Amino acid sequence: MENIVNNTMKSGIKRIGVLTSGGDAPGMNAAVRAVVRTAASLDIQCVGIRRGWHGLINADFTMLTRESVSHILTQGGTMLYTARSAEFMQPEGRQKAVATCRMLGIDAIVAIGGDGTFKGALELSRDGVPVVGIPATIDNDVDCTNYTIGFDTACNTAVDCIDRLRDTMRSHERCSVVEVMGRNAGYLALYVGLAAGATSVLVPEHKYDFQKDVIERIQESGLAGNSHFMLVVAEGAGSAVDIGRRIEEAIGIEPRVTVLGHIQRGGSPSARDRETATRMGYSAVMALAEGRFNRVIATQEGQIVELPIEEAMTMKKHLQMKRYHIMETMQLGSLKNPMRGSGM
Ligand code: F6P
């Protein structure tokens, strides 16, 4: 600890601003708590910036202490509130934000959020304010990291909802079309689809053929002995309402459509999200305290790593199409397997 405190002196960081921005995600509070408590252990003060980048522009802040972040570990949402700010992406908006940092004596910012938050953090770092980003979004669509805080909780919420839908779909021998969030990415839909045993999953990363990927999947599933069907549609792949209507037009069954919507963003964070958020919040403050500025905290192969933000923002990750193949295999394996019926 003594070395760390010495390094803190070297880095010159005495006061950190922490904010949450973009769509809220379960576990953001756990990350705020970890930032504040790690900072407190190093005698670094924490200023909570309310309403994301918008709050930094308008000097909307609250001082945070060890005590003020008590009891938030288990809470969904974000105690700091959140917003999306177009103004911050303009140089004039950021000038005001830089002035707020000077006025409040903020030496560095920890920004918790998704891709948009990271873009803002990159620009702020170029304007001379040291930053560290912590990835948090239910979409898991931040390219530099395998995992974003909130994804696990959102998956569990969606799977719980689909399990409930399945009970009634099975009883009525119906077809269900469920739309899940994810913005332009299919991580949430594919993961949920695998975990919930979906008949088919439509994701934006895989250009789907309605006849082959929807109608034939329902028919094949029927041939395999099923009388209820569960289609999961990522919001970025299309509208569940449209898909439901097209199914009815094509084969005459009347699907029930459910758009899970913002329910996926709420709820107490899972153990995985609390644990990851705590480790990421700790790592973010340690990076600043030890003089490693303009970083993002990420996970790679299960480990927490730090990456320079400039490099991180050029990285690309891809939906693992193997997962898509596995999902298809779970539904069609018995029909395609030549050993079918052989007892093997
Ligand atoms: O990025 C998180 C997310 O929930 C996306 O999945 C969704 O597309 C979007 O935010 C919804 O945004 P809003 O809360 O502005 O409706």
Side-chain angles (χ1 to χ4, degrees):
M1 182 58 88
E2 201 176 304
N3 272 347
I4 294 168
V5 173
N6 285 341
N7 285 338
T8 311
M9 306 297 265
K10 250 187 266 163
S11 76
I13 298 287
K14 296 195 174 61
R15 186 176 272 197
I16 292 174
V18 57
L19 59 84
T20 52
S21 166
D24 65 317
M28 278 183 161
N29 277 327
V32 170
R33 171 182 177 270
V35 167
V36 173
R37 295 216 162 157
T38 307
S41 75
L42 300 171
D43 281 333
I44 296 173
Q45 291 181 332
C46 263
V47 181
I49 308 294
R50 289 187 290 226
R51 303 176 180 86
W53 297 125
H54 191 66
L56 199 61
I57 291 172
N58 297 302
D60 182 2
F61 70 98
T62 178
M63 293 307 293
L64 296 174
T65 61
R66 285 190 66 81
E67 293 70 35
S68 59
V69 293
S70 290
H71 313 303
I72 64 168
L73 178 64
T74 60
Q75 290 171 10
T78 162
M79 70 167 288
L80 291 176
Y81 303 100
T82 185
R84 295 189 171 96
S85 171
E87 192 185 354
F88 190 78
M89 294 317 289
Q90 302 304 319
E92 301 75 35
R94 284 200 307 283
Q95 271 169 24
K96 293 185 199 163
V98 172
T100 302
C101 290
R102 277 203 209 103
M103 180 182 78
L104 297 178
I106 290 172
D107 301 309
I109 292 285
V110 175
I112 304 166
D115 200 37
T117 307
F118 277 25
K119 284 186 184 135
L122 175 64
E123 293 305 327
L124 190 64
S125 72
R126 288 174 176 165
D127 291 338
V129 177
V131 298
V132 177
I134 296 180
T137 162
I138 66 162
D139 304 336
N140 200 25
D141 62 348
V142 178
D143 285 312
C144 62
T145 183
N146 293 151
Y147 189 76
T148 60
I149 296 164
F151 180 69
D152 185 60
T153 309
C155 285
N156 284 317
T157 303
V159 167
D160 181 55
C161 292
I162 293 174
D163 287 351
R164 286 160 196 263
L165 280 172
R166 187 182 285 283
D167 290 344
T168 172
M169 294 303 142
R170 190 194 301 114
S171 304
H172 284 266
E173 301 182 285
R174 275 175 172 158
C175 174
S176 185
V177 185
V178 185
E179 185 178 309
V180 301
M181 279 188 165
R183 200 178 288 275
N184 301 317
Y187 297 99
L188 192 58
L190 190 50
Y191 199 97
V192 163
L194 268 178
T199 311
S200 187
V201 180
L202 305 182
V203 291
E205 293 85 348
H206 172 80
K207 194 171 170 4
Y208 71 90
D209 173 329
F210 183 71
Q211 181 59 27
K212 185 172 149 293
D213 293 315
V214 177
I215 299 302
E216 287 176 22
R217 300 298 297 279
I218 293 172
Q219 290 168 333
E220 283 164 350
S221 179
L223 285 176
N226 293 313
S227 61
H228 70 282
F229 314 103
M230 184 62 69
L231 283 105
V232 175
V233 183
E235 63 173 338
S239 141
V241 174
D242 283 351
I243 305 280
R245 187 184 36 78
R246 289 174 71 189
I247 292 171
E248 187 173 352
E249 282 166 11
I251 50 176
I253 62 173
E254 284 180 51
R256 292 297 187 264
V257 174
T258 308
V259 178
L260 292 184
H262 292 79
I263 199 122
Q264 295 159 101
R265 290 229 300 251
S268 178
S270 66
R272 180 177 184 188
D273 281 327
R274 294 180 200 187
E275 195 263 356
T276 306
T278 302
R279 287 197 293 147
M280 285 186 167
Y282 171 86
S283 301
V285 176
M286 294 315 289
L288 290 172
E290 293 173 5
R292 294 186 303 280
F293 300 162
N294 304 334
R295 306 279 159 152
V296 299
I297 307 300
T299 63
Q300 287 179 355
E301 287 155 20
Q303 301 298 315
I304 303 278
V305 296
E306 265 176 49
L307 304 166
I309 191 165
E310 294 276 353
E311 181 192 326
M313 295 304 283
T314 64
M315 293 168 85
K316 284 274 162 268
K317 78 172 174 186
H318 300 284
L319 190 70
Q320 282 185 327
M321 290 318 285
K322 184 163 182 196
R323 283 216 165 97
Y324 200 85
H325 170 71
I326 295 170
M327 180 271 301
E328 287 185 324
T329 306
M330 290 305 108
Q331 296 305 314
L332 304 179
S334 59
L335 287 173
K336 288 190 172 162
N337 185 350
M339 307 307 270
R340 185 170 169 249
S342 70
M344 292 190 72

